[in-house]
Coordinates of all heavy atoms in Angstrom, one line a residue:
T191 N 29.5 -29.9 1.2 CA 30.2 -30.9 0.4 C 30.2 -32.3 1.1 O 30.2 -33.3 0.4 CB 31.7 -30.5 0.2 OG1 32.3 -30.2 1.5 CG2 31.8 -29.3 -0.7
I192 N 30.0 -32.3 2.4 CA 29.9 -33.6 3.1 C 28.6 -34.3 2.7 O 28.7 -35.5 2.4 CB 29.9 -33.4 4.6 CG1 31.2 -32.8 5.1 CG2 29.6 -34.7 5.4 CD1 31.3 -32.4 6.5
A193 N 27.5 -33.6 2.5 CA 26.3 -34.3 2.1 C 26.5 -34.9 0.7 O 26.0 -36.0 0.4 CB 25.1 -33.3 2.1
F194 N 27.1 -34.1 -0.2 CA 27.4 -34.6 -1.5 C 28.2 -35.9 -1.5 O 27.8 -36.9 -2.1 CB 28.2 -33.6 -2.4 CG 28.6 -34.1 -3.7 CD1 27.8 -34.2 -4.8 CD2 29.9 -34.6 -3.8 CE1 28.2 -34.7 -6.0 CE2 30.4 -35.1 -5.0 CZ 29.5 -35.2 -6.1
W195 N 29.3 -36.0 -0.7 CA 30.1 -37.2 -0.6 C 29.4 -38.3 0.0 O 29.6 -39.5 -0.4 CB 31.5 -36.8 0.0 CG 32.4 -36.0 -0.8 CD1 32.9 -34.8 -0.5 CD2 32.9 -36.3 -2.1 NE1 33.7 -34.3 -1.5 CE2 33.7 -35.2 -2.5 CE3 32.7 -37.4 -3.0 CZ2 34.3 -35.2 -3.7 CZ3 33.3 -37.3 -4.2 CH2 34.1 -36.2 -4.6
V196 N 28.6 -38.0 1.0 CA 27.8 -39.1 1.7 C 26.8 -39.7 0.6 O 26.7 -40.9 0.5 CB 27.1 -38.6 2.9 CG1 26.0 -39.6 3.4 CG2 28.1 -38.4 4.1
A197 N 26.2 -38.9 -0.1 CA 25.3 -39.3 -1.2 C 26.0 -40.2 -2.2 O 25.6 -41.2 -2.6 CB 24.6 -38.2 -1.9
Y198 N 27.2 -39.8 -2.5 CA 28.1 -40.5 -3.5 C 28.4 -41.9 -2.9 O 28.3 -42.9 -3.6 CB 29.4 -39.7 -3.8 CG 30.4 -40.6 -4.5 CD1 30.4 -40.8 -5.8 CD2 31.5 -41.1 -3.7 CE1 31.3 -41.5 -6.5 CE2 32.4 -41.9 -4.4 CZ 32.4 -42.1 -5.8 OH 33.3 -42.8 -6.4
L199 N 28.8 -41.9 -1.6 CA 29.1 -43.2 -1.0 C 27.9 -44.1 -1.0 O 28.0 -45.3 -1.3 CB 29.6 -43.0 0.5 CG 30.9 -42.3 0.6 CD1 31.2 -41.9 2.1 CD2 32.1 -43.1 0.0
V200 N 26.7 -43.6 -0.7 CA 25.5 -44.4 -0.7 C 25.2 -44.9 -2.1 O 24.9 -46.1 -2.3 CB 24.3 -43.6 -0.1 CG1 23.0 -44.3 -0.3 CG2 24.5 -43.3 1.4
A201 N 25.3 -44.0 -3.1 CA 25.0 -44.4 -4.5 C 26.0 -45.4 -5.0 O 25.6 -46.2 -5.9 CB 25.1 -43.1 -5.3
T202 N 27.2 -45.5 -4.5 CA 28.1 -46.5 -4.9 C 28.1 -47.8 -4.1 O 29.0 -48.6 -4.1 CB 29.6 -45.9 -5.0 OG1 29.9 -45.4 -3.7 CG2 29.7 -44.8 -6.0
G203 N 27.0 -47.9 -3.2 CA 26.8 -49.1 -2.5 C 27.6 -49.3 -1.2 O 27.6 -50.3 -0.6
Q204 N 28.2 -48.2 -0.7 CA 28.9 -48.3 0.6 C 27.9 -48.0 1.7 O 27.0 -47.2 1.6 CB 30.0 -47.3 0.6 CG 31.1 -47.6 -0.5 CD 32.2 -46.7 -0.5 OE1 32.8 -46.4 0.6 NE2 32.6 -46.1 -1.6
K205 N 28.1 -48.7 2.8 CA 27.3 -48.6 4.0 C 27.7 -47.3 4.7 O 28.9 -47.1 5.0 CB 27.4 -49.8 4.9 CG 26.8 -51.0 4.3 CD 26.6 -52.1 5.4 CE 26.1 -53.3 4.7 NZ 24.6 -53.5 4.8
V206 N 26.7 -46.5 5.0 CA 26.9 -45.3 5.8 C 26.0 -45.2 7.0 O 24.8 -45.5 6.8 CB 26.6 -44.0 4.9 CG1 26.7 -42.7 5.6 CG2 27.6 -44.0 3.7
P207 N 26.5 -45.0 8.2 CA 25.6 -44.9 9.3 C 24.5 -43.9 9.1 O 24.6 -42.9 8.3 CB 26.5 -44.4 10.5 CG 27.9 -44.8 10.0 CD 27.8 -44.7 8.5
K208 N 23.4 -44.1 9.8 CA 22.2 -43.2 9.7 C 22.6 -41.7 10.1 O 22.1 -40.8 9.6 CB 21.1 -43.7 10.6 CG 19.8 -43.0 10.3 CD 18.7 -43.7 11.1 CE 17.3 -43.0 10.8 NZ 16.2 -43.7 11.5
T209 N 23.5 -41.6 11.1 CA 23.9 -40.3 11.5 C 25.4 -40.2 11.4 O 26.2 -41.0 11.8 CB 23.5 -40.1 13.0 OG1 22.1 -40.2 13.2 CG2 24.0 -38.7 13.5
V210 N 25.8 -39.1 10.7 CA 27.3 -38.8 10.5 C 27.5 -37.4 11.1 O 26.9 -36.5 10.6 CB 27.7 -38.9 9.1 CG1 29.2 -38.5 8.9 CG2 27.5 -40.3 8.5
Y211 N 28.4 -37.3 12.0 CA 28.7 -36.0 12.6 C 30.0 -35.4 11.9 O 30.9 -36.1 11.7 CB 29.0 -36.1 14.1 CG 27.8 -36.6 14.9 CD1 27.6 -37.9 15.3 CD2 26.8 -35.7 15.2 CE1 26.5 -38.3 16.0 CE2 25.7 -36.1 15.9 CZ 25.5 -37.4 16.3 OH 24.4 -37.8 17.0
A212 N 29.9 -34.1 11.7 CA 31.0 -33.4 11.2 C 31.2 -32.1 12.0 O 30.1 -31.5 12.3 CB 30.9 -33.1 9.7
P213 N 32.4 -31.6 12.2 CA 32.5 -30.4 13.0 C 32.1 -29.2 12.2 O 32.2 -29.1 10.9 CB 34.0 -30.4 13.3 CG 34.6 -31.1 12.1 CD 33.7 -32.2 11.8
L214 N 31.7 -28.2 12.9 CA 31.4 -26.9 12.2 C 32.8 -26.2 12.0 O 33.7 -26.5 12.7 CB 30.6 -26.0 13.1 CG 29.2 -26.5 13.4 CD1 28.5 -25.6 14.4 CD2 28.4 -26.5 12.1
L215 N 32.8 -25.4 11.0 CA 34.1 -24.6 10.8 C 34.4 -23.7 11.9 O 33.6 -22.9 12.3 CB 33.9 -23.8 9.5 CG 35.1 -22.9 9.1 CD1 36.4 -23.8 8.9 CD2 34.8 -22.1 7.9
Q216 N 35.6 -23.8 12.4 CA 36.1 -22.9 13.5 C 37.3 -22.3 12.9 O 38.2 -23.0 12.4 CB 36.4 -23.7 14.7 CG 35.2 -24.3 15.4 CD 35.5 -25.0 16.7 OE1 36.6 -24.8 17.3 NE2 34.6 -25.8 17.1
I217 N 37.4 -21.0 13.0 CA 38.6 -20.3 12.5 C 39.4 -19.7 13.7 O 39.0 -18.7 14.2 CB 38.2 -19.2 11.5 CG1 37.4 -19.8 10.3 CG2 39.4 -18.4 11.0 CD1 36.8 -18.8 9.4
P218 N 40.5 -20.4 14.0 CA 41.3 -19.8 15.1 C 41.9 -18.5 14.7 O 42.2 -18.2 13.5 CB 42.4 -20.9 15.3 CG 42.0 -22.1 14.5 CD 41.0 -21.6 13.5
K219 N 42.1 -17.6 15.7 CA 42.7 -16.3 15.4 C 44.0 -16.4 14.5 O 44.2 -15.6 13.6 CB 43.0 -15.6 16.7 CG 43.4 -14.2 16.6 CD 43.5 -13.5 17.9 CE 43.9 -12.0 17.7 NZ 43.9 -11.3 18.9
E220 N 44.8 -17.4 14.8 CA 46.1 -17.5 14.0 C 45.8 -17.8 12.5 O 46.7 -17.7 11.7 CB 47.0 -18.5 14.7 CG 46.5 -19.9 14.8 CD 45.8 -20.2 16.1 OE1 45.4 -19.3 16.8 OE2 45.6 -21.4 16.3
N221 N 44.6 -18.3 12.2 CA 44.3 -18.6 10.8 C 43.4 -17.6 10.1 O 43.1 -17.8 9.0 CB 43.7 -20.0 10.7 CG 44.6 -21.1 11.1 OD1 45.8 -20.9 11.2 ND2 44.0 -22.3 11.4
L222 N 43.0 -16.6 10.9 CA 42.1 -15.6 10.3 C 42.5 -14.9 9.1 O 41.8 -14.8 8.1 CB 41.8 -14.6 11.4 CG 40.7 -13.5 11.0 CD1 39.4 -14.1 10.6 CD2 40.5 -12.5 12.2
D223 N 43.8 -14.5 9.0 CA 44.3 -13.8 7.8 C 44.2 -14.7 6.6 O 43.9 -14.3 5.5 CB 45.7 -13.3 8.0 CG 45.8 -12.1 9.0 OD1 44.7 -11.4 9.1 OD2 46.8 -11.9 9.5
A224 N 44.6 -16.0 6.7 CA 44.5 -16.9 5.6 C 43.1 -17.1 5.1 O 42.8 -17.1 3.9 CB 45.1 -18.3 6.0
W225 N 42.1 -17.2 6.0 CA 40.7 -17.3 5.6 C 40.2 -16.0 5.0 O 39.5 -16.1 4.0 CB 39.8 -17.6 6.8 CG 39.9 -19.1 7.1 CD1 40.6 -19.7 8.1 CD2 39.1 -20.1 6.4 NE1 40.4 -21.1 8.0 CE2 39.5 -21.4 7.0 CE3 38.2 -20.1 5.4 CZ2 39.0 -22.6 6.5 CZ3 37.7 -21.3 4.9 CH2 38.1 -22.5 5.5
L226 N 40.6 -14.8 5.5 CA 40.2 -13.6 4.9 C 40.7 -13.4 3.5 O 40.0 -12.9 2.6 CB 40.6 -12.4 5.8 CG 39.9 -12.2 7.1 CD1 40.5 -11.1 7.9 CD2 38.4 -11.9 6.9
A227 N 41.9 -13.9 3.3 CA 42.5 -13.8 1.9 C 41.7 -14.6 0.9 O 41.8 -14.3 -0.3 CB 44.0 -14.3 2.0
V228 N 41.0 -15.7 1.2 CA 40.3 -16.5 0.3 C 38.8 -16.4 0.3 O 38.1 -17.1 -0.3 CB 40.7 -18.0 0.4 CG1 42.2 -18.2 0.1 CG2 40.4 -18.6 1.7
T229 N 38.3 -15.5 1.2 CA 36.9 -15.3 1.3 C 36.5 -13.9 0.7 O 36.8 -12.9 1.3 CB 36.5 -15.3 2.8 OG1 36.9 -16.5 3.4 CG2 35.0 -15.2 3.0
P230 N 35.8 -14.0 -0.4 CA 35.4 -12.7 -1.1 C 34.5 -11.9 -0.2 O 33.7 -12.4 0.6 CB 34.7 -13.2 -2.3 CG 35.2 -14.6 -2.6 CD 35.4 -15.1 -1.2
V231 N 34.6 -10.6 -0.4 CA 33.7 -9.6 0.4 C 32.3 -10.0 0.1 O 31.9 -10.2 -1.1 CB 34.0 -8.2 0.0 CG1 33.0 -7.2 0.6 CG2 35.5 -7.8 0.4
G232 N 31.4 -10.0 1.1 CA 30.0 -10.3 0.9 C 29.7 -11.8 0.9 O 28.5 -12.2 0.7
S233 N 30.7 -12.7 1.1 CA 30.4 -14.1 1.1 C 30.8 -14.6 2.5 O 31.0 -13.9 3.4 CB 31.3 -14.8 0.1 OG 32.7 -14.7 0.4
V234 N 30.7 -15.9 2.6 CA 31.0 -16.6 3.9 C 32.2 -17.5 3.8 O 32.4 -18.1 2.7 CB 29.8 -17.3 4.5 CG1 28.6 -16.4 4.8 CG2 29.3 -18.4 3.5
A235 N 32.9 -17.8 4.9 CA 34.0 -18.7 4.9 C 33.3 -20.1 4.9 O 32.4 -20.4 5.6 CB 34.9 -18.6 6.1
S236 N 33.9 -21.0 4.1 CA 33.4 -22.4 4.0 C 34.5 -23.3 3.7 O 35.4 -23.1 2.9 CB 32.4 -22.4 2.9 OG 31.9 -23.7 2.7
K237 N 34.5 -24.4 4.4 CA 35.5 -25.5 4.2 C 34.9 -26.5 3.2 O 33.8 -27.0 3.3 CB 35.8 -26.2 5.5 CG 36.6 -27.5 5.4 CD 38.0 -27.3 5.3 CE 38.8 -28.6 5.5 NZ 39.3 -29.1 4.2
V238 N 35.7 -26.7 2.1 CA 35.3 -27.7 1.1 C 35.9 -29.0 1.5 O 37.1 -29.2 1.6 CB 35.7 -27.3 -0.3 CG1 35.4 -28.4 -1.3 CG2 35.1 -26.0 -0.7
F239 N 35.1 -30.0 1.9 CA 35.6 -31.3 2.4 C 35.8 -32.2 1.2 O 35.1 -32.2 0.2 CB 34.6 -31.9 3.4 CG 34.5 -31.2 4.7 CD1 33.5 -30.2 4.9 CD2 35.4 -31.4 5.7 CE1 33.4 -29.5 6.1 CE2 35.3 -30.7 6.9 CZ 34.3 -29.8 7.1
T240 N 36.9 -33.0 1.4 CA 37.2 -34.0 0.3 C 36.5 -35.3 0.6 O 35.9 -35.5 1.7 CB 38.7 -34.2 0.3 OG1 39.1 -34.9 1.5 CG2 39.5 -32.9 0.1
L241 N 36.6 -36.2 -0.4 CA 36.0 -37.5 -0.2 C 36.7 -38.2 0.9 O 36.0 -38.9 1.8 CB 36.1 -38.3 -1.5 CG 35.7 -39.8 -1.5 CD1 34.2 -39.9 -1.0 CD2 35.9 -40.4 -2.8
D242 N 38.0 -38.1 1.0 CA 38.8 -38.8 2.1 C 38.4 -38.2 3.4 O 38.2 -39.0 4.4 CB 40.3 -38.7 1.9 CG 40.8 -39.6 0.7 OD1 40.1 -40.6 0.4 OD2 41.9 -39.3 0.2
E243 N 38.2 -36.9 3.6 CA 37.8 -36.4 4.8 C 36.4 -36.9 5.2 O 36.1 -37.3 6.4 CB 37.8 -34.8 4.8 CG 39.2 -34.3 4.7 CD 39.2 -32.8 4.4 OE1 38.3 -32.3 3.7 OE2 40.1 -32.1 4.9
T244 N 35.5 -36.9 4.2 CA 34.1 -37.4 4.5 C 34.2 -38.9 4.9 O 33.4 -39.3 5.8 CB 33.3 -37.2 3.2 OG1 33.2 -35.8 2.9 CG2 31.8 -37.7 3.5
K245 N 35.0 -39.7 4.3 CA 35.2 -41.1 4.7 C 35.6 -41.2 6.1 O 35.2 -42.1 6.8 CB 36.2 -41.8 3.8 CG 35.6 -42.1 2.4 CD 36.6 -42.9 1.5 CE 36.1 -43.2 0.2 NZ 37.1 -43.9 -0.7
G246 N 36.5 -40.3 6.5 CA 36.9 -40.2 7.9 C 35.7 -39.9 8.9 O 35.6 -40.6 9.9
F247 N 34.8 -39.0 8.5 CA 33.6 -38.8 9.3 C 32.7 -40.0 9.4 O 32.2 -40.3 10.4 CB 32.8 -37.6 8.7 CG 33.5 -36.3 8.8 CD1 33.6 -35.5 7.7 CD2 34.1 -35.8 9.9 CE1 34.2 -34.3 7.7 CE2 34.8 -34.6 10.0 CZ 34.8 -33.8 8.8
V248 N 32.6 -40.7 8.2 CA 31.7 -41.9 8.2 C 32.3 -43.0 9.0 O 31.6 -43.6 9.8 CB 31.6 -42.4 6.7 CG1 30.9 -43.7 6.6 CG2 30.7 -41.3 5.9
K249 N 33.6 -43.2 8.9 CA 34.3 -44.2 9.8 C 34.2 -43.9 11.2 O 33.9 -44.8 12.1 CB 35.8 -44.3 9.4 CG 36.5 -45.4 10.2 CD 37.9 -45.6 9.7 CE 38.7 -46.6 10.4 NZ 38.3 -47.0 11.8
S250 N 34.3 -42.6 11.6 CA 34.2 -42.2 13.0 C 32.8 -42.5 13.5 O 32.6 -43.0 14.6 CB 34.5 -40.7 13.1 OG 34.4 -40.2 14.4
A251 N 31.8 -42.2 12.7 CA 30.4 -42.5 13.1 C 30.2 -44.0 13.2 O 29.6 -44.5 14.2 CB 29.4 -41.9 12.1
A252 N 30.7 -44.8 12.3 CA 30.6 -46.2 12.3 C 31.3 -46.9 13.5 O 30.8 -47.8 14.1 CB 31.1 -46.9 11.0
D253 N 32.4 -46.3 13.9 CA 33.2 -46.8 15.1 C 32.7 -46.2 16.4 O 33.2 -46.6 17.4 CB 34.6 -46.4 14.9 CG 35.3 -47.1 13.8 OD1 34.7 -48.1 13.2 OD2 36.4 -46.7 13.4
N254 N 31.7 -45.3 16.3 CA 31.2 -44.6 17.5 C 32.3 -44.0 18.3 O 32.4 -44.1 19.5 CB 30.4 -45.6 18.4 CG 29.4 -44.8 19.3 OD1 29.0 -43.7 19.1 ND2 29.1 -45.5 20.4
S255 N 33.2 -43.3 17.6 CA 34.4 -42.7 18.2 C 34.2 -41.2 18.0 O 33.4 -40.7 17.3 CB 35.6 -43.2 17.5 OG 35.7 -42.8 16.1
P256 N 35.1 -40.4 18.7 CA 35.0 -39.0 18.6 C 35.1 -38.5 17.1 O 35.7 -39.2 16.3 CB 36.2 -38.5 19.4 CG 36.5 -39.6 20.3 CD 36.1 -40.8 19.6
T257 N 34.6 -37.4 16.8 CA 34.6 -36.9 15.4 C 36.0 -36.8 14.9 O 36.9 -36.2 15.5 CB 33.8 -35.6 15.4 OG1 32.5 -35.7 15.9 CG2 33.7 -35.1 13.9
Y258 N 36.1 -37.3 13.7 CA 37.4 -37.2 12.9 C 37.7 -35.7 12.8 O 36.8 -34.9 12.5 CB 37.1 -37.9 11.6 CG 38.2 -37.8 10.6 CD1 39.4 -38.6 10.7 CD2 38.1 -37.0 9.4 CE1 40.3 -38.6 9.8 CE2 39.1 -37.0 8.5 CZ 40.2 -37.8 8.6 OH 41.2 -37.7 7.7
V259 N 39.0 -35.3 12.9 CA 39.4 -33.9 12.8 C 40.1 -33.7 11.5 O 40.9 -34.5 11.0 CB 40.3 -33.6 14.0 CG1 40.8 -32.2 13.9 CG2 39.6 -33.8 15.3
V260 N 39.8 -32.5 10.9 CA 40.4 -32.1 9.7 C 41.1 -30.8 9.9 O 40.9 -30.1 10.9 CB 39.4 -32.0 8.5 CG1 38.8 -33.4 8.2 CG2 38.3 -31.0 8.8
S261 N 41.9 -30.4 8.9 CA 42.7 -29.1 9.0 C 41.7 -27.9 9.0 O 40.7 -27.9 8.4 CB 43.6 -29.0 7.8 OG 44.2 -27.7 7.7
A262 N 42.1 -26.9 9.8 CA 41.3 -25.7 9.9 C 41.8 -24.6 8.9 O 41.5 -23.5 9.0 CB 41.3 -25.1 11.3
L263 N 42.7 -25.0 8.0 CA 43.2 -24.1 7.0 C 42.4 -24.1 5.7 O 41.9 -25.2 5.3 CB 44.7 -24.4 6.7 CG 45.7 -24.2 7.8 CD1 47.1 -24.7 7.4 CD2 45.7 -22.8 8.2
P264 N 42.2 -23.0 5.1 CA 41.4 -22.9 3.9 C 42.1 -23.6 2.7 O 43.3 -23.7 2.7 CB 41.3 -21.4 3.6 CG 42.5 -20.8 4.2 CD 42.8 -21.7 5.4
T265 N 41.3 -24.0 1.7 CA 41.8 -24.5 0.5 C 41.3 -23.6 -0.6 O 40.2 -23.0 -0.5 CB 41.3 -26.0 0.2 OG1 39.9 -26.0 0.3 CG2 41.9 -26.9 1.2
K266 N 42.0 -23.5 -1.7 CA 41.6 -22.6 -2.8 C 40.9 -23.4 -3.8 O 41.0 -24.5 -4.0 CB 42.8 -21.9 -3.4 CG 43.4 -20.9 -2.4 CD 44.5 -20.1 -3.1 CE 45.0 -19.1 -2.2 NZ 46.0 -18.2 -2.7

C-alpha cells in the first residue's frame, strides 16, 4: 500500500524523495492474538498503510530523520 500511495503523491505533483524507508511489519507477542484474529488461514499478516502514514514516511525521508513509526495493531 505504501507504493500505491507514493505513486499517488507523485501523480498529484508532490515531491517525493528518491528513497523512502518504511518499517517491516513486526508483531509483538502481546499483539499476536489480534493479528491471528484478522489473518485468514493460509494467508499472511499485512499492515494496510494509510495515505497519512505514507506521508509520514515521505516526510521522514525528506527530513533525513529516523523512520516514522506507525501502530503495530491490525486494521480490518
Side-chain angles (χ1 to χ4, degrees):
T191 54
I192 295 170
F194 171 82
W195 289 123
V196 167
Y198 168 81
L199 293 172
V200 171
T202 57
Q204 298 183 49
K205 292 197 182 260
V206 175
K208 190 173 184 177
T209 302
V210 176
Y211 295 99
L214 296 174
L215 175 62
Q216 295 181 19
I217 302 174
K219 188 174 182 177
E220 60 269 15
N221 295 343
L222 182 58
D223 288 337
W225 277 99
L226 288 173
V228 298
T229 305
V231 173
S233 66
V234 297
S236 179
K237 167 84 169 102
V238 176
F239 291 94
T240 66
L241 175 58
D242 287 338
E243 289 169 330
T244 302
K245 285 180 179 179
F247 295 131
V248 169
K249 182 178 181 330
S250 179
D253 294 345
N254 200 25
S255 63
T257 304
Y258 176 73
V259 177
V260 297
S261 171
L263 293 174
T265 55
K266 289 185 180 185

